[in-house]
Amino acid sequence: MVRKGPFYWVSISCGIMVLVFILLPLVELLTAPSGAMLKETLKDRNVIRSIWLSIYTAMSAAGISFIVGTPLAYVLARSQFRGKHFIESIIDLPIVIPHPVVGIAILSVAGKNHWLGHFMQEIGIRIMGSTTGIITVLTFVGMPFYINALKSGFESISPRLENVSRSLGASMWSTFIRITFPLAWRSVLVGLIMCCARSISEFGAVVVVAYHPMIAPVLIYERYEGYGLQYSQPVAVWLVLVCLSLFLALRVLALPQKKAT
Amino acid sequence: MIDIKGLKVHLGEFRLKDIDLSIDEGEFFVLMGPTGAGKTVLLEAIAGLVPILGGTISISGRDATRLAPEQRGVGIMYQDYALFPHLTVTRNITYGLRYQKRKGTSEKLFRQLVDDLGIGHLLHRYPETLSGGELQRVALARALMVEPRVILLDEPLSALDQNFREEIRLLLKQIHRGSRITFFMVTHDFSEALTLATKAAIMNSGAIVQTGTIRDIFQKPSSSFVANFVGMKNVFPTEFNGSTAVVDTLAIEVSPPHANSTGHIAIRPEDIVISLKPLESSMRNSFSGTVSSIIDLGFLYEVHVHVQSVLFKSLVTKGSAIDLGLDIGMDVQISFKSSAVHIF
């Protein structure tokens, strides 16, 4: 057997360090609250309501991203035009902007002093302190993840498949529905999960726009501030468990089984 | 059938300029050219898959320049087959059926294509499990299933190994004979063109450099590029003097006499005969030279003979090479007819 050099051992030890760094706090968190406490927490209607709101708003954000982001991702993947990089940078902006700034930015458009905010108030849409506001913020921060994942998915599909489809008589719509979308399905799903995951974890931007109704991260923070670590842990555990099982279920349900050959 | 006039396309690094082509109904037309000449781009332009900057394309007398790809009745088959990976062979083949106006005969056509192409045992499989030759047949069936007026083939044989290549070549020829479909095939292999095509065009860096019957292109190349491309290994710049072409210091008899004072001559390597002594024959050109190298081409040897400073390349069967006892450094005689010298 070949003797492993120092490079090998440095790589291995760094790898172990990274894994411990990620897993240790999570395992600690999950094992800290007792079973009784977890049960007790589940009876708290505020907890249930906040976790449900978190999931519901994050999924709405993913849904909105799916509807408006899919065509954009396709255009970005397929066409070359001047200013494409510029548009891609704009789409990436929400990823790099500090979260509270996102909240403040959205409020400055939704406020009474802005014509758009004024207009929305006229027709009865409220952003500040509302579910609508939370969904708006989550879509803002989550959409880039969906678009980027799907864009690379579309890029990996040969345009020749679409060309052949059209030469066989299919219109662009037909081709997209029968060829492109089914082949990109995996990327769509990955994008949705990324978008959801990013949305559920948002705290900074949401707390600026809507402290109430309370999403789970805000509730966890409130419990921590008001009652201490012990009282925030069970809520956190439930949020993590619910999210993990949801994502797992989504993957299992939506990804087709490997085709029999 | 297909009339292309002044076609201009800019696509990435490819530039097609002033392409003029005319292809008759039912023809087997071959477009040849080296890699990067823009052959596939021209193909896609005919299919309506790339934006066109100028010029017109008409198909069956109808202006198709601005027509959507699905309205042209032009099938395309790519080098990598481009089968839909998420559909079975059957669903690949029948993909285009729902867009066709004529119904009813499709079941019969499907059976016939499956039989003709010998793919009956593959119908329930997915493309990823098929071999190159099988993919090729399925792609062909898919394209033929919608009964296109024109079928565009992008180097259909180049990705196959030698055994399959012969088979598919015969298949293409049969299908072409048995149908009224116009075939337009792109290749960089001249021997494919020879066996399949009725007419051909040669393309180089985005322009058509020669078009005509395959025989004409093969025997009367119009430029040194075409001559080289079609395997005229002996291409020399020349000064003409009546019926004599002067290459370097050699005086070569040509017929008929050439009007221009400068140009090129080309001689196919198989037209140059190598012998040990001067031949008693009607061949007007005979020179003595020295064998400078011998290249093994499988069944043949390519023998390079230096006559003074001019290098001639000749093809010799292995048998006659052994009979002659050819070896490097040997003095030999080369001869060729004046009619074997092509002038352009």
Side-chain angles (χ1 to χ4, degrees), chain A:
Chain A
M1 193 167 158
V2 183
R3 239 198 67 176
K4 305 277 198 293
F7 183 79
Y8 176 80
W9 292 115
V10 169
S11 316
I12 288 286
S13 20
C14 285
I16 289 172
M17 249 153 57
V18 171
L19 291 184
V20 169
F21 178 64
I22 293 173
L23 285 179
L24 189 64
L26 286 180
V27 171
E28 198 54 41
L29 168 77
L30 289 176
T31 50
S34 64
M37 259 191 99
L38 284 177
K39 227 177 191 173
E40 191 66 24
T41 316
L42 261 197
K43 288 182 190 147
D44 185 341
R45 295 194 53 186
N46 284 335
V47 171
I48 300 294
R49 202 181 296 139
S50 72
I51 289 181
W52 168 241
L53 183 67
S54 265
I55 290 165
Y56 163 71
T57 49
M59 284 191 164
S60 305
I64 293 169
S65 301
F66 174 77
I67 292 165
V68 297
T70 305
L72 178 60
Y74 184 76
V75 169
L76 287 177
R78 275 291 179 263
S79 46
Q80 300 297 329
F81 52 89
R82 201 175 294 211
K84 183 177 158 182
H85 286 297
F86 182 64
I87 290 179
E88 284 170 339
S89 320
I90 292 177
I91 289 164
D92 284 340
L93 272 183
I95 299 176
V96 295
I97 293 179
H99 301 173
V101 178
V102 169
I104 288 167
I106 284 178
L107 277 189
S108 38
V109 173
K112 261 181 265 173
N113 298 328
H114 194 273
W115 63 267
L116 189 61
H118 189 73
F119 172 72
M120 283 197 296
Q121 205 171 35
E122 292 278 294
I123 59 171
I125 297 174
R126 196 163 54 96
I127 295 292
M128 181 87 187
S130 74
T131 310
T132 319
I134 296 172
I135 294 174
T136 309
V137 169
L138 297 191
T139 308
F140 191 93
V141 298
M143 181 121 66
F145 290 87
Y146 176 73
I147 292 177
N148 287 338
L150 187 55
K151 191 183 77 173
S152 44
F154 281 143
E155 275 166 353
S156 69
I157 297 168
S158 166
R160 290 184 168 190
L161 296 177
E162 295 170 358
N163 288 351
V164 167
S165 163
R166 301 204 59 191
S167 80
L168 291 169
S171 65
M172 195 57 235
W173 274 109
S174 231
T175 299
F176 187 81
I177 289 163
R178 291 182 73 192
I179 301 296
T180 318
F181 193 77
L183 289 174
W185 175 236
R186 223 163 248 272
S187 311
V188 170
L189 203 73
V190 169
L192 288 177
I193 290 176
M194 298 270 288
C195 176
C196 258
R198 175 65 188 83
S199 304
I200 273 189
S201 65
E202 183 54 47
F203 170 75
V206 176
V207 91
V208 170
V209 172
Y211 196 90
H212 289 281
M214 221 177 251
I215 57 166
V218 176
L219 181 78
I220 292 167
Y221 179 73
E222 196 198 46
R223 295 263 158 118
Y224 169 69
E225 279 282 274
Y227 313 99
L229 196 57
Q230 231 189 334
Y231 290 89
S232 64
Q233 272 168 341
V235 188
V237 169
W238 278 118
L239 182 64
V240 169
L241 288 181
V242 168
C243 291
L244 282 185
S245 43
L246 264 179
F247 290 145
L248 208 67
L250 198 59
R251 270 201 96 101
V252 171
L253 282 180
L255 287 189
Q257 302 298 309
K258 190 137 180 61
K259 288 173 220 142
T261 51

Side-chain angles (χ1 to χ4, degrees), chain B residues 252-279:
Chain B
I252 293 169
E253 291 286 311
V254 296
S255 65
H258 195 58
N260 296 347
S261 59
T262 59
H264 286 81
I265 60 165
I267 308 157
R268 306 201 67 83
E270 55 268 37
D271 287 339
I272 297 179
V273 179
I274 294 185
S275 57
L276 298 177
K277 297 202 171 78
L279 291 176

